[in-house]
Amino acid sequence: MAVILASQSPRRRELLGRIISDFEIVPANINEEVKSYFTPMDYVLEMATQKAKHIAKKYPNDLVIGCDTIVTIDNEILGKPTSREDGFRMLKQLSGRTHKVYTSVVLMKDDQESSATVPATVEFYDLNDEEINRYLDTDEYKDKAGAYGIQEQGSLFIKSIQGDYYSIMGLPVATLYRMLPAFD
């Protein structure tokens, strides 16, 4: 049995490597458009499930791990920014405020499925336009939910966190580690 990570995220690859030494990367290209009828927790779980299902169809005898991470504030889901301007808007919206980050993990093998959604709360310092633009110049915002990565230069914005740091990075390592034994 192979283990397949249905993600191309370098952060998830690095974090999964802390638990499992041998796994394959097979990205799941699905439509991640946010539908208005989804709550943030429903949406993130649905996206992780769709990613896992998409890859599990091709590899039914292998263990597939699907993940998704979102940032939410004011009941708005902040996905990956579509442009620099969108990234600026998101960071301005998060400035000086507290927001939620949710990561869902879905494991699938044969007819077996298990899932978990791990929340965290992040508080940002007040950010001025110069700080935001300097950060946007690094381009690290481009593939990040909420337009920031907590493990990189985005860490300079963080006043406090409550919850699982690794969930904010995109893969709740301890939760996943505890889910895996059911899939021997």
Side-chain angles (χ1 to χ4, degrees):
M1 168 186 78
V3 176
I4 299 171
L5 178 61
S7 173
Q8 60 188 3
S9 163
R11 291 159 307 285
R12 288 192 181 115
R13 178 182 302 174
E14 172 194 340
L15 293 174
L16 183 58
R18 295 179 185 187
I19 307 171
I20 301 171
S21 59
D22 187 26
F23 60 92
E24 298 174 37
I25 304 290
V26 183
N29 296 316
I30 63 163
N31 179 354
E32 296 187 50
E33 180 183 343
V34 178
K35 305 289 188 212
S36 61
Y37 52 83
F38 280 118
T39 67
M41 285 186 68
D42 290 343
Y43 172 80
V44 72
L45 180 58
E46 178 66 21
M47 292 302 101
T49 301
Q50 282 188 30
K51 290 174 185 179
K53 279 183 180 174
H54 183 77
I55 300 304
K57 284 181 193 171
K58 299 174 189 172
Y59 302 91
N61 300 319
D62 296 321
L63 174 59
V64 176
I65 302 169
C67 307
D68 197 58
T69 301
I70 60 164
V71 170
T72 182
I73 190 166
D74 300 330
N75 292 318
E76 179 185 353
I77 296 171
L78 304 181
K80 297 175 184 175
T82 56
S83 65
R84 181 185 175 102
E85 293 75 22
D86 193 33
F88 185 91
R89 176 192 64 79
M90 289 181 188
L91 294 171
K92 199 72 170 166
Q93 188 174 1
L94 298 173
S95 175
R97 300 185 61 206
T98 300
H99 62 275
K100 288 279 197 187
V101 178
Y102 298 98
T103 294
S104 286
V105 179
V106 175
L107 281 68
M108 289 185 179
K109 181 181 182 293
D110 300 319
D111 292 334
Q112 189 177 357
E113 182 177 329
S114 180
S115 66
T117 300
V118 181
T121 303
V122 180
E123 182 183 6
F124 265 30
Y125 284 106
D126 286 320
L127 307 176
N128 62 44
D129 291 0
E130 183 182 332
E131 285 177 289
I132 293 172
N133 280 311
R134 195 168 43 246
Y135 177 72
L136 295 172
D137 288 344
T138 70
D139 283 346
E140 77 178 41
Y141 73 93
K142 287 185 175 179
D143 68 337
K144 312 279 192 309
Y148 76 94
I150 194 168
Q151 72 281 3
E152 298 173 28
Q153 293 297 309
S155 64
L156 302 175
F157 300 158
I158 310 301
K159 186 171 186 178
S160 70
I161 66 167
Q162 292 179 324
D164 188 331
Y165 173 81
Y166 295 105
S167 182
I168 301 166
M169 279 183 67
L171 187 70
V173 177
T175 299
L176 176 57
Y177 177 76
R178 282 157 179 72
M179 293 170 72
L180 287 170
F183 289 85
D184 281 343

